[in-house]
């Protein structure tokens, strides 16, 4: 860090730096608040999707006790046929967004499988969709948490370090200049008194 000069030029420079910092801080703080609001929405969305998934899984057992029959081959009954995840740019933060999700049911003979397999396939389809949504919601929340952490560090840097340090520099320069001015006035008075004394001799 450069040594602080105690002169009027340095005072003007520090004044300009302080004004710049004070101009940058409000937009940064606004961005931080917006990102925090988005983060809270993402957390609510994730909690909602997780609750839906838990509810679905908790209800499957009582509604479809036939699933306990291990002889029934239900492997790959439902698969993801197409998944397209895009990116949404929110306040310079790239966030994942679901563009398209297609779930495919494996073909099976209605005569070879019991009637309840249709219900299982529908439940699995819903569970797969909710699982994908949960992953995206979790990823979105993680990205927003990182963005909030980064912008909070910047806001704190301005609020707690740069602005107070610059204000302290201005205060020190002003004190130094005021002291120098007083000393100059005292010297001028002393010089005048000496001049008067010499004249009177």
């Amino acid at each position: 860090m450069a040594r602080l000069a105690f002169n009027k030029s340095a005072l003007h420079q520090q004044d300009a730096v302080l004004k710049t910092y004070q101009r940058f801080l409000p937009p940064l703080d606004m961005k931080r608040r917006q990102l925090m609001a988005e983060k809270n929405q993402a957390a609510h969305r994730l909690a909602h999707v997780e609750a839906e998934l838990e509810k679905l899984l908790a209800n499957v057992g009582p509604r479809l006790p036939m699933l306990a029959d291990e002889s029934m081959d239900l492997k790959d009954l439902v698969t993801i046929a197409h998944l397209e995840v895009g990116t949404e740019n929110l306040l310079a933060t790239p966030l994942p967004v679901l563009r398209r999700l297609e779930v495919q049911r494996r073909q099976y003979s209605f005569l070879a499988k019991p009637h309840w397999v249709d219900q299982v396939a529908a439940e699995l389809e819903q569970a797969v969709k909710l699982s994908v949504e949960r992953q995206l919601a979790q990823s979105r929340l993680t990205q927003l948490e990182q963005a909030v952490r980064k912008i909070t560090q910047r806001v704190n840097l301005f609020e707690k370090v740069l602005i107070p340090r610059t204000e302290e520099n201005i205060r020190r320069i002003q004190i130094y200049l005021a002291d120098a001015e007083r000393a100059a006035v005292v010297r001028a008075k002393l010089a005048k008194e000496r001049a008067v004394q010499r004249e009177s001799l």
Side-chain angles (χ1 to χ4, degrees):
M1 192 174 135
R3 254 177 72 109
L4 184 65
F6 291 92
N7 54 42
K8 285 186 179 177
S9 172
L11 181 63
H12 291 311
Q13 184 188 3
Q14 290 292 312
D15 240 351
V17 167
L18 180 62
K19 282 178 183 143
T20 303
Y21 290 160
Q22 288 170 335
R23 200 171 57 246
F24 281 140
L25 182 59
L28 261 183
D29 194 42
M30 174 70 80
K31 184 177 175 182
R32 180 180 63 88
R33 278 187 264 134
Q34 287 172 327
L35 282 171
M36 285 178 77
E38 286 293 332
K39 184 191 88 159
N40 291 340
Q41 280 183 358
H44 286 305
R45 176 70 189 142
L46 177 61
H48 175 71
V49 171
E50 283 179 337
E52 287 287 309
L53 189 57
E54 271 180 46
K55 186 174 151 189
L56 179 72
L57 296 175
N59 290 338
V60 165
R63 275 203 327 256
L64 297 165
M66 304 75 86
L67 285 173
D69 181 7
E70 292 179 11
S71 65
M72 188 63 61
D73 179 28
L74 299 173
K75 191 177 177 211
D76 297 328
L77 182 62
V78 173
T79 54
I80 295 174
H82 186 83
L83 175 62
E84 188 184 330
V85 177
T87 304
E88 173 192 21
N89 193 349
L90 180 82
L91 299 165
T93 305
L95 299 173
V97 63
L98 184 62
R99 297 266 186 246
R100 193 167 140 219
L101 172 62
E102 286 177 22
V103 179
Q104 188 174 29
R105 292 188 193 187
R106 187 181 78 200
Q107 295 296 317
Y108 55 87
S109 166
F110 293 109
L111 298 173
K113 299 278 186 195
H115 68 89
W116 53 265
V117 172
D118 280 345
Q119 181 64 33
V120 170
E123 300 281 352
L124 277 172
E125 202 173 311
Q126 186 63 19
V128 165
K129 286 177 179 175
L130 284 169
S131 293
V132 169
E133 277 188 57
R134 181 179 64 181
Q135 278 184 312
L136 280 171
Q138 181 61 65
S139 175
R140 200 174 167 90
L141 180 60
T142 302
Q143 306 275 91
L144 283 165
E145 283 172 342
Q146 288 172 353
V148 166
R149 193 168 29 251
K150 195 182 284 186
I151 195 107
T152 300
Q153 286 171 346
R154 285 184 188 160
V155 167
N156 286 342
L157 176 66
F158 277 93
E159 267 184 351
K160 298 187 167 114
V161 178
L162 297 175
I163 290 175
R165 182 190 296 156
T166 308
E167 286 173 340
E168 175 61 18
N169 287 346
I170 289 170
R171 190 186 69 79
R172 286 173 57 206
I173 293 169
Q174 285 172 335
I175 289 171
Y176 178 85
L177 291 176
D179 286 350
E181 199 175 312
R182 274 193 296 276
V185 167
V186 168
R187 278 196 303 275
K189 280 185 180 177
L190 288 174
K192 190 176 180 184
E193 283 176 18
R194 280 194 214 119
V196 169
Q197 284 175 353
R198 271 192 232 118
E199 284 175 15
S200 62
L201 291 175

Short mmCIF file of all heavy atoms in Angstrom, two decimals, residues 1 12 26-27 30 36-38 55 73 86 91 96 105 111 115 129-130 139 148 159 164 168 177 183 185 195 200:
data_model
loop_
_atom_site.label_atom_id
_atom_site.label_comp_id
_atom_site.label_asym_id
_atom_site.label_seq_id
_atom_site.Cartn_x
_atom_site.Cartn_y
_atom_site.Cartn_z
N MET A 1 0.84 -1.19 0.00
CA MET A 1 0.00 0.00 0.00
C MET A 1 0.88 1.25 0.00
O MET A 1 1.85 1.34 0.74
CB MET A 1 -0.88 -0.03 1.26
CG MET A 1 -1.99 1.00 1.25
SD MET A 1 -3.05 0.77 2.69
CE MET A 1 -3.20 2.47 3.18
N HIS A 12 -7.75 15.82 -1.73
CA HIS A 12 -8.70 15.81 -2.85
C HIS A 12 -8.81 14.41 -3.45
O HIS A 12 -9.90 13.95 -3.80
CB HIS A 12 -8.30 16.82 -3.92
CG HIS A 12 -8.44 18.26 -3.49
ND1 HIS A 12 -9.60 18.74 -2.90
CD2 HIS A 12 -7.59 19.31 -3.54
CE1 HIS A 12 -9.45 20.03 -2.61
NE2 HIS A 12 -8.22 20.40 -2.99
N PRO A 26 -24.19 1.36 -2.84
CA PRO A 26 -25.64 1.09 -2.91
C PRO A 26 -26.06 0.09 -3.99
O PRO A 26 -26.84 -0.82 -3.69
CB PRO A 26 -26.25 2.48 -3.16
CG PRO A 26 -25.24 3.43 -2.62
CD PRO A 26 -23.92 2.80 -2.89
N PRO A 27 -25.54 0.17 -5.24
CA PRO A 27 -25.93 -0.85 -6.21
C PRO A 27 -25.47 -2.26 -5.81
O PRO A 27 -26.19 -3.24 -6.04
CB PRO A 27 -25.23 -0.42 -7.51
CG PRO A 27 -24.87 1.00 -7.33
CD PRO A 27 -24.72 1.22 -5.86
N MET A 30 -27.84 -3.46 -3.19
CA MET A 30 -29.13 -3.80 -3.82
C MET A 30 -29.05 -5.18 -4.48
O MET A 30 -29.94 -6.01 -4.35
CB MET A 30 -29.49 -2.73 -4.86
CG MET A 30 -30.72 -3.05 -5.68
SD MET A 30 -32.22 -2.96 -4.72
CE MET A 30 -32.47 -1.20 -4.72
N MET A 36 -30.25 -12.44 -2.29
CA MET A 36 -30.73 -13.10 -1.06
C MET A 36 -32.21 -13.47 -1.19
O MET A 36 -32.62 -14.55 -0.76
CB MET A 36 -30.49 -12.22 0.16
CG MET A 36 -29.03 -12.20 0.58
SD MET A 36 -28.70 -11.12 1.98
CE MET A 36 -29.30 -12.10 3.32
N ALA A 37 -33.00 -12.58 -1.80
CA ALA A 37 -34.43 -12.87 -2.01
C ALA A 37 -34.58 -14.06 -2.95
O ALA A 37 -35.40 -14.96 -2.70
CB ALA A 37 -35.13 -11.64 -2.59
N GLU A 38 -33.77 -14.11 -4.01
CA GLU A 38 -33.80 -15.24 -4.94
C GLU A 38 -33.36 -16.53 -4.25
O GLU A 38 -33.92 -17.60 -4.50
CB GLU A 38 -32.89 -14.97 -6.14
CG GLU A 38 -33.44 -13.98 -7.12
CD GLU A 38 -34.69 -14.45 -7.86
OE1 GLU A 38 -34.87 -15.66 -8.04
OE2 GLU A 38 -35.50 -13.59 -8.25
N LYS A 55 -43.73 -37.13 0.25
CA LYS A 55 -45.15 -37.49 0.34
C LYS A 55 -45.48 -38.61 -0.65
O LYS A 55 -46.16 -39.58 -0.31
CB LYS A 55 -45.99 -36.25 0.04
CG LYS A 55 -47.49 -36.40 0.23
CD LYS A 55 -48.13 -35.03 0.03
CE LYS A 55 -49.54 -35.19 -0.50
NZ LYS A 55 -50.11 -33.91 -0.90
N ASP A 73 -40.69 -58.06 -12.28
CA ASP A 73 -39.57 -57.28 -12.83
C ASP A 73 -40.07 -55.88 -13.22
O ASP A 73 -40.75 -55.72 -14.23
CB ASP A 73 -38.97 -57.98 -14.05
CG ASP A 73 -37.83 -57.18 -14.65
OD1 ASP A 73 -37.17 -56.43 -13.90
OD2 ASP A 73 -37.61 -57.27 -15.87
N GLY A 86 -31.14 -25.71 -19.36
CA GLY A 86 -30.57 -24.47 -19.89
C GLY A 86 -29.97 -23.65 -18.76
O GLY A 86 -29.88 -24.09 -17.62
N LEU A 91 -28.80 -11.58 -12.54
CA LEU A 91 -27.86 -10.65 -11.89
C LEU A 91 -26.43 -11.13 -12.03
O LEU A 91 -25.68 -11.23 -11.05
CB LEU A 91 -28.23 -10.47 -10.41
CG LEU A 91 -29.61 -9.90 -10.13
CD1 LEU A 91 -30.00 -10.10 -8.68
CD2 LEU A 91 -29.67 -8.42 -10.48
N PRO A 96 -29.11 -22.91 -13.35
CA PRO A 96 -29.71 -23.95 -14.19
C PRO A 96 -31.23 -23.82 -14.20
O PRO A 96 -31.84 -23.47 -13.19
CB PRO A 96 -29.28 -25.25 -13.52
CG PRO A 96 -29.05 -24.89 -12.09
CD PRO A 96 -28.59 -23.46 -12.10
N ARG A 105 -42.01 -44.62 -20.59
CA ARG A 105 -42.36 -45.89 -19.94
C ARG A 105 -41.94 -47.04 -20.84
O ARG A 105 -42.13 -46.99 -22.05
CB ARG A 105 -43.88 -45.98 -19.72
CG ARG A 105 -44.40 -45.02 -18.70
CD ARG A 105 -45.85 -45.30 -18.40
NE ARG A 105 -46.45 -44.21 -17.65
CZ ARG A 105 -47.66 -44.23 -17.15
NH1 ARG A 105 -48.44 -45.29 -17.34
NH2 ARG A 105 -48.13 -43.21 -16.48
N LEU A 111 -51.26 -58.11 -20.78
CA LEU A 111 -51.71 -59.45 -20.37
C LEU A 111 -50.69 -60.10 -19.46
O LEU A 111 -51.04 -60.87 -18.57
CB LEU A 111 -51.97 -60.32 -21.61
CG LEU A 111 -53.07 -59.81 -22.54
CD1 LEU A 111 -53.13 -60.64 -23.81
CD2 LEU A 111 -54.42 -59.84 -21.84
N HIS A 115 -52.64 -55.45 -13.49
CA HIS A 115 -53.22 -54.12 -13.76
C HIS A 115 -52.57 -53.00 -12.96
O HIS A 115 -52.53 -51.85 -13.38
CB HIS A 115 -54.73 -54.16 -13.47
CG HIS A 115 -55.05 -54.33 -12.02
ND1 HIS A 115 -55.17 -53.26 -11.18
CD2 HIS A 115 -55.20 -55.45 -11.27
CE1 HIS A 115 -55.41 -53.70 -9.95
NE2 HIS A 115 -55.45 -55.03 -9.98
N LYS A 129 -39.65 -37.24 -12.24
CA LYS A 129 -39.77 -35.80 -12.52
C LYS A 129 -39.41 -34.98 -11.29
O LYS A 129 -38.67 -33.99 -11.38
CB LYS A 129 -41.19 -35.46 -12.98
CG LYS A 129 -41.49 -35.91 -14.41
CD LYS A 129 -42.92 -35.61 -14.79
CE LYS A 129 -43.19 -36.06 -16.23
NZ LYS A 129 -44.59 -35.90 -16.63
N LEU A 130 -39.94 -35.41 -10.13
CA LEU A 130 -39.64 -34.67 -8.90
C LEU A 130 -38.16 -34.78 -8.52
O LEU A 130 -37.58 -33.82 -8.00
CB LEU A 130 -40.52 -35.19 -7.75
CG LEU A 130 -41.98 -34.72 -7.79
CD1 LEU A 130 -42.82 -35.50 -6.77
CD2 LEU A 130 -42.09 -33.23 -7.52
N SER A 139 -29.10 -27.48 -7.12
CA SER A 139 -28.00 -26.84 -7.85
C SER A 139 -28.20 -25.33 -7.91
O SER A 139 -27.27 -24.54 -7.70
CB SER A 139 -27.94 -27.42 -9.26
OG SER A 139 -26.99 -26.74 -10.02
N VAL A 148 -24.34 -15.08 -3.27
CA VAL A 148 -24.63 -14.23 -2.10
C VAL A 148 -23.38 -14.08 -1.24
O VAL A 148 -23.06 -12.98 -0.78
CB VAL A 148 -25.81 -14.80 -1.27
CG1 VAL A 148 -25.90 -14.13 0.10
CG2 VAL A 148 -27.13 -14.62 -2.01
N GLU A 159 -17.98 -1.55 2.94
CA GLU A 159 -18.57 -0.99 4.18
C GLU A 159 -17.61 -0.98 5.35
O GLU A 159 -17.56 -0.03 6.11
CB GLU A 159 -19.79 -1.83 4.59
CG GLU A 159 -21.08 -1.31 4.06
CD GLU A 159 -22.27 -2.11 4.58
OE1 GLU A 159 -22.08 -3.16 5.21
OE2 GLU A 159 -23.40 -1.67 4.33
N PRO A 164 -14.26 3.04 5.62
CA PRO A 164 -13.70 3.53 6.89
C PRO A 164 -12.22 3.93 6.79
O PRO A 164 -11.81 4.93 7.37
CB PRO A 164 -13.87 2.34 7.85
CG PRO A 164 -15.00 1.56 7.27
CD PRO A 164 -14.88 1.72 5.79
N GLU A 168 -10.78 7.60 7.45
CA GLU A 168 -9.71 7.80 8.44
C GLU A 168 -8.54 8.55 7.80
O GLU A 168 -7.96 9.45 8.42
CB GLU A 168 -9.26 6.44 8.99
CG GLU A 168 -8.07 6.49 9.95
CD GLU A 168 -8.33 7.32 11.22
OE1 GLU A 168 -9.49 7.59 11.57
OE2 GLU A 168 -7.33 7.69 11.87
N LEU A 177 -3.17 19.01 8.11
CA LEU A 177 -3.21 20.31 7.43
C LEU A 177 -3.63 21.43 8.39
O LEU A 177 -3.10 22.54 8.33
CB LEU A 177 -4.16 20.25 6.22
CG LEU A 177 -3.69 19.40 5.04
CD1 LEU A 177 -4.77 19.35 3.96
CD2 LEU A 177 -2.37 19.92 4.46
N ALA A 183 0.39 26.12 12.87
CA ALA A 183 1.83 26.33 13.09
C ALA A 183 2.33 27.48 12.22
O ALA A 183 3.14 28.32 12.67
CB ALA A 183 2.60 25.05 12.77
N VAL A 185 0.54 30.04 11.17
CA VAL A 185 0.01 31.28 11.75
C VAL A 185 0.85 31.70 12.95
O VAL A 185 1.22 32.87 13.10
CB VAL A 185 -1.48 31.10 12.14
CG1 VAL A 185 -1.97 32.25 13.02
CG2 VAL A 185 -2.35 30.96 10.90
N ALA A 195 10.03 41.13 14.30
CA ALA A 195 10.26 42.28 13.40
C ALA A 195 9.92 43.59 14.14
O ALA A 195 10.66 44.58 14.02
CB ALA A 195 9.43 42.14 12.13
N SER A 200 11.85 48.43 17.15
CA SER A 200 11.81 49.28 18.34
C SER A 200 13.20 49.45 18.95
O SER A 200 13.42 50.35 19.75
CB SER A 200 10.86 48.71 19.39
OG SER A 200 11.30 47.45 19.81
#
